[in-house]
């Protein structure tokens, strides 16, 4: 049986559709791995940074969706920075082919960013 992973999904609020689609696809019986989505589904009103950091620290890895919205998504950038600070394995996934940023924000410098495919996600999960 495959290891069950706790994965935090970082996304710009404008790209919530990508997180929703990934979670829906992962619920499919034929998905070649098991994981639990640990992303923040609704913004926390108070002390959100500490609560978010605690949630990220409890994860095995992070998938960060990358689009042109990412550079201005302060919450997502905080989540990515936090994963790096806490030593959480991190992978970037382009949400679409036509909405790729021209350059990556500094928080993603040195992070591998791949096309959104099951083989790429599975390879990441097998490494963590």
């Amino acid at each position: 049986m495959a290891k069950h992973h706790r994965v935090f999904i970082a996304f710009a609020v404008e790209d919530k559709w990508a997180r929703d689609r990934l979670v829906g696809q992962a619920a499919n019986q034929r998905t070649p791995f098991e994981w639990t989505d640990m992303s923040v589904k609704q913004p926390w009103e108070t002390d959100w940074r500490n609560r978010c950091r605690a949630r990220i620290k409890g994860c095995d890895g992070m998938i960060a969706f990358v689009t042109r919205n990412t550079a201005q998504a302060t919450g997502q950038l905080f989540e990515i920075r936090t994963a790096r600070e806490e030593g959480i394995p991190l992978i970037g996934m382009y949400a679409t082919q036509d909405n790729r940023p021209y350059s990556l924000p500094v928080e993603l410098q040195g992070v591998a960013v791949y096309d959104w495919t099951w083989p790429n996600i599975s390879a990441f999960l097998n490494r963590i």
Side-chain angles (χ1 to χ4, degrees):
M1 180 160 171
K3 178 184 177 196
H4 188 88
H5 299 282
R6 292 169 53 102
V7 177
F8 192 99
I9 304 171
F11 58 95
V13 69
E14 298 87 354
D15 301 322
K16 182 179 178 295
W17 64 268
R19 185 204 62 93
D20 293 347
R21 183 175 294 166
L22 177 61
V23 170
Q25 288 175 343
N28 184 320
Q29 298 269 347
R30 293 177 289 168
T31 302
F33 45 80
E34 292 184 48
W35 63 299
T36 300
D37 169 28
M38 296 297 293
S39 61
V40 178
K41 282 115 181 130
Q42 297 182 10
W44 290 309
E45 295 300 320
T46 59
D47 200 28
W48 77 270
R49 288 180 188 262
N50 289 334
R51 293 176 70 185
C52 186
R53 181 175 296 276
R55 184 170 284 196
I56 291 169
K57 283 173 69 171
C59 290
D60 300 308
M62 175 183 284
I63 296 172
F65 278 112
V66 179
T67 70
R68 291 184 192 144
N69 298 317
T70 301
Q72 290 79 38
T74 57
Q76 180 186 20
L77 295 175
F78 170 79
E79 293 165 351
I80 293 166
R81 256 191 325 275
T82 298
R84 295 186 81 169
E85 290 168 1
E86 298 296 340
I88 303 300
L90 168 65
I91 189 173
M93 290 280 159
Y94 291 116
T96 66
Q97 294 291 322
D98 59 348
N99 192 17
R100 291 180 178 206
Y102 299 107
S103 63
L104 295 175
V106 67
E107 289 83 357
L108 285 168
Q109 295 299 314
V111 173
V113 182
Y114 298 97
D115 289 334
W116 177 3
T117 67
W118 283 129
N120 286 338
I121 293 171
S122 187
F124 171 67
L125 294 177
N126 286 332
R127 287 193 305 267
I128 61 175

